[in-house]
Amino acid sequence: MTEIEKRTKSGWKLENSYAQLPELFFSSLDLSPVFHPELVILNYSLAESLGLDIQDLQDEEGVAILAGNQIPDGSSPIAQAYAGHQFGYFTTLGDGRAMLIGEQITPQDERFDIQLKGSGRTPYSRHGDGRAVLGPMLREYIISEAMHALGIATTRSLAVVTTGESVIRETELPGAVLTRVADSHLRVGTFQYAASLGTVDDLKALADYTLQRHFPDSNTVENPYLFLLEEVIRRQADLIAKWQLVGFVHGVMNTDNMTISGETIDYGPCAFMDTYDPKTVFSSIDTYGRYAYNNQPYIGLWNLARFAETLLPLLHEEKEKAIKLSKGAVSEFIQLYNQNWLSGMRAKLGIFNAELGDRSFMERLLGAMHKYGADYTNTFLALTFDKFEDTTLFESEEFLEWYDLWQRRLDRQEESRDLSRRLMKNSNPALIPRNHRVEEALEAAEEREDYSVMKRFLDALSNPYAHSIGQIKYSRLPEPSAIPYRTFCGT
Ligand code: AMP
Ligand code: MG
């Protein structure tokens, strides 16, 4: 058995297949230890599925590893290089504050990137300090785990460790390291980096690596690079439709924050909307609403067009033909997205079959929700349980007319009302990580070192379709406020 194939005491079994790519794609890293690491939250079920020992992860050595103070046997830490369009402008980037300690091989022989976020400076840090602040790391933990439980592809959070060091932002804040787990950290921006700074051979090496890692079915297809493009488009059309269906606003859909695996990544300024408003923007820096809720599918399309451009040299040796292939693939996105959204919305309304007028029927409901300032999640919950509290929406003529149409629509399908109800329960979450609840959990943790609020919240979020009594309090709306909720990148 080679060194790399052994599982350590804690269960780490790390490889680094990414480091076999040409050197321009990464930099090897030295550790930059933190002063006094303390584990504040650990994801037991994720740890177990990764083959890690929960007890050992919590002892001194276990925590030292999660803080980036020590590396497990077999690990050779790297930072990955990438580029990206940030708010439309192209830049060269790279992990400025993250260290990939390796790819964990699970007992089921799956491979997951293990990345420490906030672990110190790297060659890509530019003017940054390479560190992360506790609040935003806990926020990422909560929202990414909530997304996972909602059935939305996402990077996961294994642990947060405080560093015992302060991080200087506008004020002095407690530092932390988040362990992020991902199918991979390959991004649209990784391909942009290869296409702009590498040779065609470098690009090909990256594409081949990606195919092998994420799309093994490509072995049998005629044009594997076209297959890669089509599959990434398909996965993003699925992902973004799911975001829309739960009211998730990513907030920073730069091309470096769009994965090839189809996982949601980069929980900076994201948030879930309460009141349904298609123009919802939470991010304090998204002045023009580029990444507003209703723009997300179009930004997805724009990003995928940038991805397609990077693949041109591989799609066909004749440029014209390559362009034609890429345009053909990209033009499928909106249709795929629409299909996903429509079938997701049908399920939210307990509908099993498709009818021609479905979109306008759904838009009538959404239009009324918008007009009367209805809560997105709770409107669907009210429909699911036939429990209409006296909100202006439910008393409105628009809603009552729509409700009639809906009843007739349900009558026209074969499936029983019971089956419809069951479908709706499985498609409409009892709770989402509402902003005021997230803030409440963070405040308890940051100001009082009380993690119990966060843990109870995580517990309720872990099974959003259970519709249990314990979840009811989390569906309550925040007190009305004149100040809109704002989010920050948390860098
Ligand atoms: P993001 O907006 O989170 O996608 O980050 C954009 C880029 O800034 C990425 O390359 C990050 O690695 C980098 N970055 C963010 N925060 C820091 C930091 N504190 N120190 C160094 N680099 C950072
Ligand atoms: Mg990012």
Side-chain angles (χ1 to χ4, degrees):
M1 215 187 235
T2 65
E3 201 50 37
I4 249 172
E5 283 166 339
K6 277 190 212 149
R7 215 169 265 287
T8 65
K9 179 171 78 89
S10 305
W12 291 110
K13 185 181 178 189
L14 293 165
E15 292 186 1
N16 208 333
S17 65
Y18 190 86
Q20 285 156 24
L21 281 174
E23 270 177 30
L24 88 153
F25 285 108
F26 63 93
S27 299
S28 295
L29 292 181
D30 295 326
L31 301 186
S32 42
V34 298
F35 174 64
H36 182 61
E38 251 180 272
L39 183 66
V40 293
I41 191 140
L42 177 65
N43 192 331
Y44 286 22
S45 62
L46 179 58
E48 266 169 17
S49 69
L50 290 168
L52 297 170
D53 185 289
I54 287 164
Q55 293 312 317
D56 290 344
L57 278 179
Q58 298 181 67
D59 70 18
E60 205 180 324
E61 187 188 320
V63 176
I65 289 171
L66 296 172
N69 281 11
Q70 198 176 315
I71 50 169
D73 286 341
S75 159
S76 37
I78 59 167
Q80 293 175 318
Y82 50 87
H85 277 93
Q86 297 193 303
F87 289 89
Y89 296 98
F90 186 75
T91 24
T92 308
L93 297 155
D95 295 329
R97 56 163 175 173
M99 170 165 97
L100 182 70
I101 63 169
E103 297 141 22
Q104 171 74 354
I105 310 299
T106 71
Q108 293 76 36
D109 221 22
E110 298 156 312
R111 179 181 297 267
F112 289 100
D113 273 12
I114 307 291
Q115 197 191 59
L116 305 181
K117 188 167 168 181
S119 59
R121 286 182 56 80
T122 78
Y124 314 111
S125 294
R126 296 176 293 172
H127 303 296
D129 58 5
R131 295 297 184 196
V133 177
L134 177 62
M137 295 306 102
L138 295 176
R139 196 168 185 281
E140 168 155 352
Y141 189 115
I142 296 170
I143 300 185
S144 63
E145 285 307 300
M147 290 287 271
H148 172 73
L150 284 163
I152 301 177
T154 176
T155 64
R156 309 260 331 252
S157 298
L158 176 65
V160 175
V161 168
T162 50
T163 60
E165 292 175 7
S166 295
V167 176
I168 311 296
R169 297 293 181 256
E170 282 92 38
T171 53
E172 245 183 73
L173 296 163
V177 176
L178 169 90
T179 306
R180 178 160 73 180
V181 180
D183 277 349
S184 85
H185 286 83
L186 293 162
R187 304 150 190 264
V188 166
T190 319
F191 281 81
Q192 291 183 292
Y193 179 85
S196 66
L197 288 155
T199 62
V200 174
D201 281 346
D202 293 326
L203 177 68
K204 188 170 178 308
L206 178 66
D208 289 339
Y209 173 76
T210 306
L211 284 168
Q212 206 187 3
R213 184 152 176 192
H214 291 301
F215 307 98
D217 294 349
S218 61
N219 272 335
T220 54
V221 302
E222 196 187 317
N223 185 340
Y225 307 111
L226 181 61
F227 182 79
L228 169 63
L229 176 59
E230 289 168 345
E231 281 296 293
V232 173
I233 288 170
R234 197 183 54 72
R235 289 188 188 189
Q236 287 295 333
D238 179 64
L239 179 69
I240 298 174
K242 287 191 173 140
W243 291 356
Q244 300 304 97
L245 289 163
V246 296
F248 174 76
V249 185
H250 183 284
V252 62
M253 286 178 72
N254 297 332
T255 55
D256 50 299
N257 293 333
M258 182 183 256
T259 60
I260 300 299
S261 65
E263 296 170 285
T264 311
I265 197 172
D266 211 313
Y267 290 90
C270 64
F272 282 71
M273 68 180 170
D274 293 318
T275 305
Y276 177 68
D277 179 355
K279 291 203 165 62
T280 300
V281 173
F282 294 110
S283 170
S284 57
I285 58 166
D286 191 1
T287 320
Y288 301 105
R290 179 182 171 89
Y291 298 138
Y293 172 75
N294 62 342
N295 266 359
Q296 295 189 126
Y298 305 102
I299 292 294
L301 174 66
W302 192 86
N303 289 351
L304 290 164
R306 304 289 78 74
F307 178 53
E309 282 164 7
T310 70
L311 294 177
L312 288 177
L314 305 178
L315 287 176
H316 202 282
E317 54 201 18
E318 290 171 42
K319 199 169 173 193
E320 288 308 310
K321 289 199 175 142
I323 291 174
K324 204 170 161 208
L325 288 173
S326 82
K327 277 192 174 161
V330 173
S331 69
E332 292 289 306
F333 173 79
I334 289 295
Q335 204 189 329
L336 288 170
Y337 164 78
N338 280 333
Q339 280 167 6
N340 293 332
W341 185 84
L342 273 172
S343 59
M345 194 50 87
R346 282 191 191 105
K348 285 174 86 66
L349 296 171
I351 297 172
F352 288 87
N353 62 343
E355 280 186 12
L356 264 182
D358 279 351
R359 172 170 288 276
S360 58
F361 162 71
M362 291 160 186
E363 277 167 359
R364 265 180 92 154
L365 171 65
L366 292 171
M369 284 163 66
H370 185 202
K371 180 170 174 188
Y372 294 102
D375 181 82
Y376 183 78
T377 307
N378 287 2
T379 299
F380 288 101
L381 273 183
L383 295 174
T384 304
F385 291 101
D386 238 345
K387 254 195 186 153
F388 301 103
E389 281 163 29
D390 51 345
T391 68
T392 45
L393 172 70
F394 297 136
E395 286 164 0
S396 74
E397 212 167 292
E398 287 95 329
F399 177 77
L400 294 170
E401 278 171 17
W402 177 86
Y403 186 84
D404 237 30
L405 289 177
W406 181 45
Q407 295 306 307
R408 277 188 269 146
R409 180 75 176 79
L410 293 176
D411 289 339
R412 285 200 297 279
Q413 65 183 11
E414 278 173 20
E415 288 78 3
S416 68
R417 290 296 175 111
D418 265 2
L419 276 180
S420 271
R421 172 80 47 101
R422 204 175 309 158
L423 178 62
M424 291 179 78
K425 277 189 186 170
N426 290 329
S427 313
N428 294 308
L431 78 170
I432 47 159
R434 286 190 191 273
N435 303 316
H436 66 295
R437 288 292 189 180
V438 174
E439 293 301 325
E440 174 192 65
L442 296 184
E443 193 185 301
E446 288 174 299
E447 286 174 19
R448 303 190 294 280
E449 290 183 42
D450 171 6
Y451 286 84
S452 65
V453 182
M454 174 169 167
K455 284 177 183 162
R456 281 195 300 274
F457 190 30
L458 283 167
D459 192 44
L461 288 165
S462 70
N463 197 354
Y465 303 106
H467 300 283
S468 67
I469 291 169
Q471 289 173 323
I472 291 173
K473 68 174 186 179
Y474 295 104
S475 67
R476 284 188 206 123
L477 304 184
E479 292 297 317
S481 160
I483 310 157
Y485 187 68
R486 282 279 160 264
T487 55
F488 303 89
C489 279
T491 51

